[in-house]
Structures are given as structure tokens and as C-alpha cells.
Amino acid sequence: MKQALFFAGKKAFRALLLLLGVSVASFLLLCASPLDPLRTNVGQAALGSMSQEQVAQLEAYWGADQPPVERYLGWLAGAVRGDLGTSLLYRQPVLTVIGQRLGSSLWLLLTAWVLSGVLGLALGITAGAFRGRWPDKLIRGWCLVISSTPAFWLALLFLLLFSVWLGWLPIGLSVPIGVEEEAVTLADRLQHALLPALTLSVTGVSNIALHTREKLVDVLGSDYILLARARGEREGAIVLRHGLRNVALPALTLQFGSVGEIIGGSVLVEQVFSYPGLGQAAVTAGLGSDLPLLLGVTLVTSGLVFGGNLLADLLYGVIDPRMKRGEGRP
Amino acid sequence: MKRVNRRFSTLLFLGIAAALLGAVTLAGICLKDAALVTDFSRKDLPPCQGFLFGTDWMGRDMFARTLAGLSLSIRVGLLTAGISACVALVLGVLSAAFGGWVDALISWWIDLVMGTPHILLVILLSIACGKGFTGVVVGVALSHWTSLARVIRGEVLQLKTAPYLLAAEKLGVSRWNRVKLHLLPHLLPQFLTGLILLFPHAILHEASVTFLGFGLSSEQPAVGVILSESMRYLTTGKWWLALFPGAALVLVVVLFALLGERVRLLLDPGSVHE
């Protein structure tokens, strides 16, 4: 138990160090940018007609007058105390903006994450069990096409099909237009989140399906499966009893490792559906040079990714006792 | 009926796919001017014989625009995947060959890059370079090398203890010569397949970032630009603006993915039995 805690602590410390690295790297990248925040947000023409004092005031607001190191240290000092600064575009604390956005994004991400995992596992197992026959070929072909399809184009297609052509689902946003916040029902929210969640789930399937298939093929070629077959067990029982158990661990690792991809996909999908989530905030912040917000979003999403990896590492030991610390990964 | 040799059919496929992709690239370059011609007398035409992919609200031929965009995508993909693979090779070999703190540093760096969601990283890098062409190239090139670097690092670590390398060391072959004569030839297959399998990712991310508005400028006929423009006309029923360019992009990416798969089979014959 003590060892396990030590292991978890070490991993968490490493994740914290990586987060610090992410913040330094993103800050440096954003500071190195030749894009002038004043020019992108105020416009060249408006800048020209302003007085010197006004320009200086704006520069102070966008933080363009301080040297980078000072700004980073100031930001870090705030971040340690749980204050990520104020979003320049939304004029609200970054944490408030992120909190709101994450609230609407989170269960979109969660649904997509769970759905793609379950679907991927099921498809992978089917393909592995029918290796070389038509279901396998079909699933592999499907995975190839899906992994080659940009998420935003799939979102556009779904939008065309379900919203424009069939008219079943709304075109965008997370709530109906022109309705007060109190009047929005859960059904409304569900209806608006359905297409984005569907798109995200479909795009996340291929990686896990292909890896699960590969692994199951390996497992089914092993000696204990041969023995089980010789003993007269039915093929379905073999796959479920022996296959699934051995495939679960790598699938779980992949699933926790795919957090980053799902978040990346959500940036694109939210943009297409104008869904007011974290991804859309990132794009808005990036286009508008809103440094504190972009930094905050990067940090929070990276935190989610590291958290996913950390959980996977910890779950190893729980699921497979042989994998306890010291014996290393498979 | 005589069965066609599998090696031959693989080579045939490689030839055809490469020729097809080359043709698209060339056609796109030739059609670059045609893609920019506006003619309001033929605007908003659905797909017909004269205009296979229809025309947009400025009367531009979508077929020409799509080809030009694909050509641009392929060229950007080649450039970025090439840079990415070279970065991966150098860092992977350095990490494994030197070990110690170099290895720790590079591994940490890989974890860092992998920990940030890809799209966000590309956006950050693109902003750092002022968006546009440079932004996309730098962004995609510097964010895709990680997994290949890990593969190469693992491979070199394994090779380092191989008897023939230890023997070479004892025989007094210099470090550089060992790397050049014994290590690199072994890494070549991994490197080549890794390089080709990078293309699909590079192309997809280029299109995505451009679609979001952080990439190629909107005057260029990039697929990302075409699709983000088509978004404004979806609700008015102009489905062809989004359908065909996207489908063409998927086709190109699938071709690249299959190409990589086949090259892997050729360079690593053992994997055929998988």
C-alpha cells in the first residue's frame, strides 16, 4: 500500500512538472508571436486615429508593454494561488470562463469518450474474432476511412444530413435561440449535444478498434486458447471468457490515452456546431490573441490528458496484480 | 488461372497510387489559375457536366479549386512530414545513443508534446510563427515527430546491445562509423514507413488548422479554406460545396495510408504473416 502511494505520488509529481513545462512552453510560444494583439482586436484603421495615450492604455490592457519574463512570473504567482488572470476578450476571470465552457463541454467529451471506447472495443473484438472473413475486412476498411476523415468534415456531413436535409436536429448552439435560460429543458440540451457527441464518438473509434483487433488475434493464437478449443469450448465463449479479459488492459490504456485526441476533435466539432464549449473558447482566444485564456485552456486540457494517463498507470495495478510497481509495463 | 504474385500486386498498387497522387499534385499546380477565375454568370451551379463539383457563389469552378487545394495539401504534407521525420530520427537516435540526462531530457520533451492536445499545440505553434504558410508548416512539423521518435529510440536501444554492434565497438570502429554503417541501415525501414504514415496526419492537421483560421490565408485555395467557406452556405442547401472537396481529401488521405501500409509490408516482409 505504501509502495502504491509512493508510486502514485511520483507519477503525480511528474505530471505537475510536465504541466509547468506546458505553461512555460505555451507562454514562450505566445510571446514569440509576431501578431500584435492591438492590431488584431482594434484594427489598423482605428489604431491610426487614436491618440498616443489611448494606444498606451490599450497596450497596458493587452499586456504588450511588459517584458515576457516579468509577465510570466506574475502569471505564475497568480496561478499558484488559483488565479489564472482575466480573459481579455470576455472580460471575466479565466477560471470562470473555463468553468462555464467546461461545464457544457465536459459531458459532450464524456459521452464521446465512453461511446467511442465501447464501440471501438466491440468492433475490435468482432473483427478479431472473425479474422480474415468479411466482418473483419468491413470493420478494417471502415476504420481506415474513419481515421482518414477530418472530424470537421464529418461534422459538416452530419449537419447537412440530419439538420438541413432531414430537419430532425437543430443546426447549432447548445440551447434553442430566443429562449430564456430558465425555460431551457434537459431535452433541449440533449438535442443540441447529440450531433456533436455522435461525431466525436465516431471519429474516436478507429484507433482502439484496430489495436483491440490486433491484440485479440495475438491472444487467439496462443496455446491456452488451443487448449480451450480442444476441450470443446464454443468459439463465442472463448472470445468472451479468455479473449476479452486479456484485451481489456491494452484497450483501457489506449482509452485513457485517447483523452487528448477527443479534446482535439472537440475543438473542431464545436467550431462547426457553434457549440459554446472549451474548444470553441480556445479558437476564439487564439484568433483574438487572448493570451491568458488560451494559456488557461491549454493548461486545463493538458491537465486532463495527464490525468488520463495517470489514471491508466494506476489502474494497471488494480486490474492486473502482476503489473504492480517494480515489474514494469507489459 | 495463374495467381498474381503478391509482391507484384503490391508493387503495382504502389505504382498506381503514387502516380495518382503525383497526377493530383501536378494537376493542382496547373489549375491554380483556373481555380481563381470568378464568373458571376455561372454562380451557384450544382454539379453538372461542365462543372463536376459545381460552382460557388463567385462562380469559381469547385473542381479546379478542390484539385488546387489537394495539391497544396499534399505539398505541405510532404514538407511537414519530411521535417517531422528528420526531427524524430535525430532526437530518437540522440536519446538512445547518449542515454543519461540527454535521454531524460528528450523523453520529458516527448511527454510534454504528447500531453498537449495536438490541435492546440499546432494552434500555439502557428500563432508563434504568425499564422499563414510558415505557421502551418512549423506547427504541423514540430508536433508530429513524437511517436516516431519513440519508435526509433526503442529500436536503437535494442540495437545498442546487439552482438554485432558490441563486436564493432571492440574492433575499434569509431562511434560515427558505427552509427553510419550499422545503425542507420537498420533504422531505414522504420524511418521510411514512419515517414509515409506521417503524411495522413500531417495533411489532416493542416486542413483542420486552416479550417479553424490559424493556417493558410483565405486567398489560397486550400481544402480547409474551401470547407470553412462552405459552412456559411450549408443552410441554403448548397451541399456540393462541402461534400466533394471533403470526400476528395478523404480519398487522398486513404491513398497515403494504404501506401504506407504497403511500403511497410515490402520493407518488413516478416509482418506479412501478422
Side-chain angles (χ1 to χ4, degrees):
Chain A
M1 191 61 215
K2 205 171 170 190
Q3 252 187 353
L5 269 181
F6 178 73
F7 177 69
K10 215 174 90 178
K11 285 272 177 193
F13 178 71
R14 195 176 156 78
L16 213 65
L17 215 62
L18 279 172
L19 271 186
L20 193 71
V22 167
S23 80
V24 175
S26 346
F27 200 90
L28 283 179
L29 283 177
L30 288 175
C31 281
S33 168
L35 299 174
D36 182 5
L38 292 188
R39 220 163 280 172
T40 32
N41 286 297
V42 185
Q44 185 72 26
L47 265 187
S49 65
M50 279 182 194
S51 67
Q52 282 294 323
E53 292 89 60
Q54 277 172 313
V55 172
Q57 213 175 356
L58 277 173
E59 268 179 0
Y61 178 72
W62 291 94
D65 57 347
Q66 285 171 302
V69 179
E70 222 167 276
R71 280 167 77 195
Y72 179 72
L73 289 178
W75 179 86
L76 191 66
V80 170
R81 279 181 276 119
D83 171 23
L84 291 180
T86 309
S87 162
L88 304 173
L89 287 174
Y90 293 93
R91 292 180 184 264
Q92 278 174 323
V94 167
L95 275 180
T96 320
V97 178
I98 289 181
Q100 279 172 1
R101 295 308 184 109
L102 198 60
S104 52
S105 266
L106 197 61
W107 69 289
L108 185 73
L109 294 174
L110 218 61
T111 334
W113 189 68
V114 172
L115 261 181
S116 67
V118 172
L119 209 66
L121 193 68
L123 283 179
I125 286 179
T126 317
F130 287 95
R131 185 194 173 195
R133 279 180 281 166
W134 65 265
D136 180 28
K137 284 180 184 154
L138 202 69
I139 290 175
R140 270 195 303 167
W142 168 248
C143 285
L144 176 67
V145 172
I146 280 298
S147 65
S148 308
T149 306
F152 62 93
W153 184 63
L154 200 67
L156 282 175
L157 278 195
F158 280 162
L159 205 59
L160 263 178
L161 186 65
F162 292 108
S163 303
V164 179
W165 199 37
L166 295 171
W168 287 351
L169 293 164
I171 300 258
L173 303 177
S174 68
V175 291
I177 300 173
V179 177
E180 277 181 55
E181 204 179 333
E182 290 82 36
V184 176
T185 59
L186 189 66
D188 282 335
R189 286 188 187 276
L190 267 178
Q191 211 185 12
H192 280 82
L194 192 62
L195 271 188
L198 188 71
T199 318
L200 271 182
S201 321
V202 170
T203 48
V205 158
S206 79
N207 197 15
I208 187 159
L210 286 179
H211 276 93
T212 305
R213 174 192 173 274
E214 205 97 315
K215 183 77 192 162
L216 189 68
V217 167
D218 275 356
V219 169
L220 289 183
S222 61
D223 290 342
Y224 58 86
I225 296 292
L226 193 64
L227 177 71
R229 281 210 184 104
R231 226 167 36 194
E233 278 188 50
R234 277 181 302 112
E235 195 65 30
I238 289 178
V239 168
L240 286 184
R241 192 180 300 165
H242 302 292
L244 190 59
R245 223 176 252 198
N246 284 297
V247 163
L249 199 67
L252 207 70
T253 321
L254 269 180
Q255 186 57 13
F256 276 101
S258 74
V259 174
E261 259 169 70
I262 295 250
I263 293 177
S266 81
V267 174
L268 292 163
V269 170
E270 282 176 8
Q271 188 68 11
V272 174
F273 290 105
S274 353
Y275 192 86
L278 203 58
Q280 208 201 20
V283 175
T284 315
L287 288 176
S289 305
D290 186 347
L291 195 140
L293 184 58
L294 193 53
L295 213 55
V297 173
T298 312
L299 215 57
V300 168
T301 46
S302 304
L304 286 176
V305 174
F306 290 136
N309 290 339
L310 193 65
L311 266 179
D313 280 340
L314 295 179
L315 277 176
Y316 272 141
V318 176
I319 292 175
D320 192 343
R322 287 173 305 178
M323 219 79 72
K324 282 266 163 68
R325 188 186 164 272
E327 294 182 34
R329 292 186 182 189
Chain B
M1 195 183 100
K2 198 180 148 222
R3 220 171 141 257
V4 183
N5 184 329
R6 192 150 165 205
R7 184 181 173 81
F8 179 73
S9 66
T10 307
L11 280 173
L12 195 68
F13 172 84
L14 282 186
I16 292 176
L20 209 60
L21 290 170
V24 169
T25 316
L26 277 182
I29 295 175
C30 297
L31 282 172
K32 198 159 185 256
D33 294 325
L36 295 174
V37 175
T38 56
D39 181 353
F40 286 95
S41 68
R42 56 176 206 208
K43 67 173 187 166
D44 293 333
L45 288 178
C48 56
Q49 248 176 5
F51 305 99
L52 283 175
F53 289 3
T55 57
D56 63 3
W57 67 99
M58 281 163 80
R60 286 177 292 192
D61 182 3
M62 288 310 285
F63 184 67
R65 282 193 88 198
T66 305
L67 273 185
L70 287 180
S71 163
L72 195 63
S73 280
I74 293 175
R75 277 176 287 154
V76 171
L78 283 174
L79 186 63
T80 51
I83 299 175
S84 244
C86 288
V87 172
L89 183 70
V90 170
L91 287 184
V93 171
L94 273 184
S95 177
F98 284 93
W101 65 270
V102 177
D103 185 28
L105 189 72
I106 292 176
S107 296
W108 190 77
W109 189 241
I110 290 177
D111 281 349
L112 192 71
V113 172
M114 279 189 139
T116 327
H118 245 148
I119 282 279
L120 271 181
L121 187 64
V122 182
I123 289 178
L124 283 173
L125 283 165
S126 179
I127 290 178
C129 297
K131 301 178 189 172
F133 182 76
T134 348
V136 174
V137 170
V138 171
V140 177
L142 294 189
S143 60
H144 283 69
W145 51 273
T146 47
S147 45
L148 185 58
R150 265 197 188 162
V151 170
I152 287 178
R153 172 175 173 272
E155 193 79 2
V156 175
L157 276 184
Q158 220 172 15
L159 283 177
K160 239 169 79 173
T161 50
Y164 76 94
L165 267 178
L166 294 177
E169 195 180 347
K170 282 279 177 284
L171 284 173
V173 182
S174 74
R175 183 183 274 254
W176 169 238
N177 268 340
R178 283 204 309 272
V179 169
K180 199 176 71 181
L181 295 175
H182 298 305
L183 219 62
L184 287 183
H186 255 283
L187 291 177
L188 198 64
Q190 295 272 10
F191 176 73
L192 275 182
T193 43
L195 172 68
I196 298 178
L197 288 176
L198 268 176
F199 286 138
H201 289 276
I203 290 177
L204 284 182
H205 273 115
E206 178 266 314
S208 307
V209 171
T210 305
F211 175 79
L212 290 177
F214 294 96
L216 302 171
S217 61
S218 51
E219 306 94 63
Q220 274 163 317
V223 179
V225 172
I226 294 175
L227 288 176
S228 87
E229 280 174 357
S230 82
M231 245 186 15
R232 276 179 269 151
Y233 297 86
L234 276 189
T235 42
T236 49
K238 299 194 177 50
W239 50 272
W240 59 89
L241 292 182
L243 183 67
F244 294 123
L249 180 67
V250 172
L251 204 70
V252 165
V253 176
V254 165
L255 266 184
F256 265 120
L258 285 174
L259 206 69
E261 203 52 33
R262 299 295 155 95
V263 169
R264 189 173 69 100
L265 289 183
L266 275 185
L267 293 176
D268 181 16
S271 64
V272 169
H273 302 292
E274 270 171 14

